[in-house]
Amino acid sequence: VDRGELFLVSGVMKDVPKNSSMYFEAVFSFEKWKELTPQTLDWRNSGPMTFATLRPDASAEQFDKKIKDVVSTQISEKHRTLFARRFDEGYLYDNFDAKGVQAGGRIEYVMMFSIIACFILAIACVNFMNLSTARASKRVKEVGIKKAVGAGRLTLISQFMGESLFMSFLSLLVAILLVDLILPQFNLITGKHLELDLNLSLVATLVAVTLLTGLISGSYPALYMSAFSPAAVLKGNLHSSLSELWIRKGLVVFQFTLSVIFIVAVLVVYNQIQYLQHKDIGYDRENMLYFAMKGKTESNREAFLQELRTLPGVVGASTISESLVGGGNTTSPDWEGKDPNDRTPFAIRPINYGMLELLNMHLVEGRFFSREHQDSLDIVINQAAVLAMGINDPIGKVITLDPFKSTIIGVIKDFHYESLHTAVKPMFFILAPQYTQKVMVKIAGGDPRQTIEHLQRLHKEVNPEFPFEFRFLDEDYNAQYYAELRVSMLSRYFAGIAIIISCLGLFGLASYTAERRFKEIGIRKALGSSNLGIIYLLSSDFTKVVALAIVIALPISFFVLKKWLDNFVFKIELEWWYFIGSGVLALVIAWLTVASQAAKASRINPVNCLRSE
């Protein structure tokens, strides 16, 4: 394996499931690893993860207390403390603060999408309530006759609730079918491997949610229609109350408020993702690929690099210890005047000659590493490191990297080696080609396929025992925002669904309103009202309701999205046009939805309206 070591296959295990957060194809002995990497045994090395199985009766809190000072007592560094976390919480609850207290993680996105799903379901429930109560006049005689022949209110409530529950469970069956059909495409979009496994737990949850949906959506219509007085119904004295109209309008306001919030969210999230992907991060990541050195490429590093640089399409090549993206290894150096309590971690990257120039790093002062100087104990630091050390004129200053003393020869402009969620942290580069394991290659712009074929061919000639596996640097950079990219994509779908459902409800209400005012429209047209006047008449009420929803939604969306953007140190500004534009878009969508029914109503022949009786 790799270094020429021979291993004996002692067993074959089942493939790790694709939904596992730890995927691997082979397991090796940790004893062998300690032989190959002696630094593993250094108490300051936080690389290897330690797993412990506790007894069933053990207390996790007591275990935490016992292991807290294990490391600090070995190296006399009180700031280093240990704590344990449940393995099954490692994926969703993966963020911790400096004291080891759980501080969110992927669970925040799970919760966010769950809340959005509940809101979309609430919008659907609102539509059902609105349309059921709006069309109550179609069923008033049924209610009146049933009450007249002895049906109690509880019987009527049971009937209407039963209808609501029947529709909910029918919707559940349709939903399961749609999920089964759409799931492969959903997995493609999200990069997941979800399966529809109708186990007992899932079925019970679905039944509970459907039951709750049916009860909520059917409750108001059932209570409303069962309260009709049989005498008033049969005499035709049923009129819509003011409270009924206000409730109906309030429900429309609720659903359009949510829709406007979704529209604003899509705009802000999309623009933040665009900002992340196109922001100048302080180095050139375009057309930059890297691959691991193994075997002969590692033992003949410089000769291999020389051949790489002669290939057509290759602009330059050098080596680095690991991909530039991510924190990597850290250390806590010493310097003259340092506060003894200062434990600021500095990221460290061993590199080869020419790497900083290859990445097009911006030199603020001093110089890069050069073969013309003896730079083996020199370092180049970033501006954040200068700030952390609190020193003036850093060039020529000496810092101690136990056990070596190194001289600062250059300061580079801060660049983002971690995601834009965090501020730029102190970092320094050391010239140590022997500790570099990754070859970084800059290729010419345009179609990279031919250049990659040249790289593959050379690698196969020099190192036929190992496959040529490479990654582009911008892939690593974008992978930091994997969750945000998925949020951006899914938020567009959710916003679209919410808007469509809201418009369906508005369309139904507009249609029913036009139907109820059928004779009024005929009389107005007979008296000379124009088609445009009829459209305005039917649209004005809905316009006021949607405008109120916009007024309510904009401050809420500002607060929610400001909180989301606070997760990023580097972010866009919440521009006014995100909110005004979203409000105008929602209003236009509402107008088009209502206007289609209003225009249809305006074309009615008044003769047909007035002779219907």
Side-chain angles (χ1 to χ4, degrees):
V1 173
D2 285 359
R3 302 169 187 248
E5 294 281 345
L6 294 176
F7 291 84
L8 179 69
V9 176
S10 61
V12 177
M13 64 181 184
K14 278 188 175 181
D15 288 339
V16 178
K18 290 181 179 179
N19 61 344
S20 171
S21 56
M22 291 182 64
Y23 185 80
F24 50 91
E25 295 167 325
V27 180
F28 291 81
S29 165
F30 189 66
E31 296 301 316
K32 194 65 182 177
W33 175 254
K34 288 191 293 186
E35 286 180 27
L36 299 174
T37 54
Q39 63 268 29
T40 299
L41 300 179
D42 189 329
W43 282 98
R44 291 178 177 81
N45 189 335
S46 58
M49 291 197 298
T50 303
F51 295 83
T53 303
L54 304 187
R55 294 196 307 268
D57 60 338
S59 164
E61 291 75 16
Q62 290 298 320
F63 179 72
D64 261 351
K65 290 179 181 178
K66 289 180 180 179
I67 67 172
K68 180 180 177 182
D69 299 322
V70 169
V71 173
S72 60
T73 54
Q74 294 289 334
I75 56 177
S76 301
E77 292 184 2
K78 298 300 180 185
H79 68 285
R80 291 182 181 265
T81 57
L82 291 181
F83 68 95
R85 72 174 182 190
R86 289 175 58 96
F87 179 63
D88 59 3
E89 294 179 352
Y91 185 75
L92 292 179
Y93 302 86
D94 57 338
N95 286 350
F96 294 86
D97 63 18
K99 295 182 179 179
V101 177
Q102 207 285 318
R106 293 180 180 91
I107 188 63
E108 293 173 355
Y109 287 112
V110 175
M111 295 298 295
M112 182 181 73
F113 284 126
S114 299
I115 291 169
I116 290 173
C118 290
F119 280 149
I120 290 175
L121 195 58
I123 291 173
C125 290
V126 164
N127 278 350
F128 185 85
M129 292 180 192
N130 259 343
L131 294 175
S132 296
T133 53
R135 297 186 66 83
S137 61
K138 296 289 185 181
R139 304 188 67 178
V140 291
K141 290 186 179 178
E142 173 195 343
V143 173
I145 293 170
K146 284 185 176 180
K147 280 198 167 186
V149 296
R153 188 178 183 189
L154 190 60
T155 303
L156 292 170
I157 289 174
S158 300
Q159 176 194 338
F160 293 128
M161 290 295 288
E163 291 173 1
S164 173
L165 288 169
F166 174 77
M167 189 167 292
S168 293
F169 278 96
L170 187 63
S171 300
L172 173 63
L173 296 176
V174 175
I176 291 172
L177 178 63
L178 287 175
V179 167
D180 190 51
L181 293 173
I182 295 171
L183 199 54
Q185 186 63 29
F186 179 82
N187 285 337
L188 194 64
I189 292 170
T190 59
K192 301 295 181 184
H193 300 278
L194 303 179
E195 296 177 356
L196 183 60
D197 179 17
L198 293 174
N199 53 54
L200 184 61
S201 174
L202 179 60
V203 170
T205 303
L206 291 176
V207 169
V209 170
T210 306
L211 191 63
L212 185 64
T213 303
L215 292 173
I216 290 174
S217 59
S219 57
Y220 176 61
L223 293 171
Y224 171 74
M225 288 190 281
S226 65
F228 291 157
S229 166
V233 167
L234 297 176
K235 287 179 182 179
N237 294 331
L238 186 68
H239 300 287
S240 296
S241 67
L242 188 62
S243 61
E244 175 199 336
L245 292 174
W246 275 111
I247 290 173
R248 194 176 303 155
K249 288 180 178 180
L251 292 173
V252 173
V253 168
F254 170 75
Q255 63 180 179
F256 263 90
T257 297
L258 293 178
S259 296
V260 173
I261 291 172
F262 287 149
I263 294 172
V264 179
V266 168
L267 278 175
V268 172
V269 172
Y270 174 78
N271 280 281
Q272 175 64 10
I273 296 300
Q274 290 295 107
Y275 172 79
L276 295 176
Q277 291 182 318
H278 297 98
K279 184 183 185 304
D280 179 12
I281 57 174
Y283 64 89
D284 187 4
R285 69 179 188 272
E286 299 298 324
N287 302 313
M288 195 80 71
L289 62 82
Y290 69 91
F291 55 91
M293 286 189 295
K294 295 178 180 179
K296 293 177 182 177
T297 57
E298 187 174 17
S299 58
N300 300 289
R301 182 182 285 106
E302 293 305 321
F304 180 64
L305 283 175
Q306 288 296 335
E307 290 193 60
L308 271 179
R309 293 173 185 134
T310 63
L311 292 178
V314 172
V315 176
S318 188
T319 58
I320 191 170
S321 59
E322 54 193 299
S323 172
L324 195 63
V325 177
N329 292 325
T330 60
T331 186
S332 184
D334 292 315
W335 60 88
E336 185 179 351
K338 179 183 178 182
D339 183 346
N341 297 317
D342 185 350
R343 299 294 177 184
T344 304
F346 284 56
I348 179 172
R349 283 287 196 287
I351 60 171
N352 204 340
Y353 290 107
M355 176 53 71
L356 299 177
E357 294 91 328
L358 185 69
L359 291 166
N360 197 23
M361 295 283 187
H362 304 297
L363 189 65
V364 176
E365 56 181 309
R367 62 179 178 82
F368 291 137
F369 298 117
S370 170
R371 296 183 187 275
E372 298 174 2
H373 299 81
Q374 294 295 322
D375 288 333
S376 58
L377 291 177
D378 296 334
I379 62 171
V380 174
I381 64 177
N382 66 353
Q383 291 172 306
V386 176
L387 188 63
M389 291 190 289
I391 57 176
N392 297 318
D393 300 322
I395 303 302
K397 293 291 193 300
V398 176
I399 69 172
T400 302
L401 300 171
D402 194 25
F404 305 106
K405 292 187 179 298
S406 301
T407 304
I408 300 172
I409 64 167
V411 178
I412 56 173
K413 186 178 178 181
D414 283 340
F415 66 95
H416 297 277
Y417 60 89
E418 292 184 308
S419 78
L420 298 181
H421 287 281
T422 60
V424 178
K425 297 173 184 174
M427 183 183 201
F428 60 86
F429 293 95
I430 62 172
L431 183 66
Q434 68 275 21
Y435 294 127
T436 59
Q437 294 91 33
K438 298 285 192 297
V439 179
M440 196 79 71
V441 181
K442 183 171 182 61
I443 61 178
D447 190 351
R449 285 177 292 185
Q450 192 170 6
T451 305
I452 291 172
E453 286 176 7
H454 292 310
L455 289 170
Q456 286 175 321
R457 195 175 301 116
L458 175 62
H459 190 275
K460 190 172 182 179
E461 290 174 5
V462 175
N463 212 22
E465 297 90 353
F466 293 91
F468 179 67
E469 298 174 331
F470 67 93
R471 281 181 64 84
F472 280 94
L473 194 57
D474 56 0
E475 289 178 347
D476 285 0
Y477 177 80
N478 290 332
Q480 297 177 109
Y481 310 107
Y482 179 86
E484 286 77 15
L485 287 166
R486 295 297 175 264
V487 167
S488 177
M489 191 178 299
L490 291 175
S491 63
R492 279 175 260 170
Y493 287 105
F494 285 141
I497 292 169
I499 293 166
I500 289 170
I501 295 174
S502 297
C503 289
L504 284 173
L506 201 60
F507 184 86
L509 282 176
S511 175
Y512 182 69
T513 300
E515 185 181 328
R516 288 193 66 180
R517 302 178 75 171
F518 188 63
K519 289 186 175 59
E520 178 191 346
I521 292 169
I523 293 169
R524 286 179 180 275
K525 292 202 73 173
L527 294 175
S529 180
S530 66
N531 287 355
L532 196 60
I534 298 298
I535 292 172
Y536 175 78
L537 173 71
L538 296 177
S539 302
S540 58
D541 281 348
F542 290 111
T543 300
K544 293 172 187 175
V545 171
V546 174
L548 178 60
I550 293 168
V551 171
I552 295 171
L554 295 187
I556 296 174
S557 59
F558 177 85
F559 173 78
V560 171
L561 290 162
K562 186 177 184 304
K563 191 172 180 62
W564 181 74
L565 286 173
D566 285 344
N567 291 318
F568 301 87
V569 173
F570 301 91
K571 57 197 173 187
I572 61 171
E573 294 296 326
L574 286 173
E575 303 287 350
W576 63 268
W577 64 267
Y578 295 150
F579 303 94
I580 300 303
S582 299
V584 170
L585 179 61
L587 200 56
V588 168
I589 292 171
W591 275 339
L592 292 174
T593 304
V594 175
S596 62
Q597 282 301 301
K600 181 181 177 183
S602 70
R603 292 194 295 269
I604 294 173
N605 188 336
V607 175
N608 295 332
C609 301
L610 299 176
R611 73 179 182 186
S612 62
E613 293 182 356

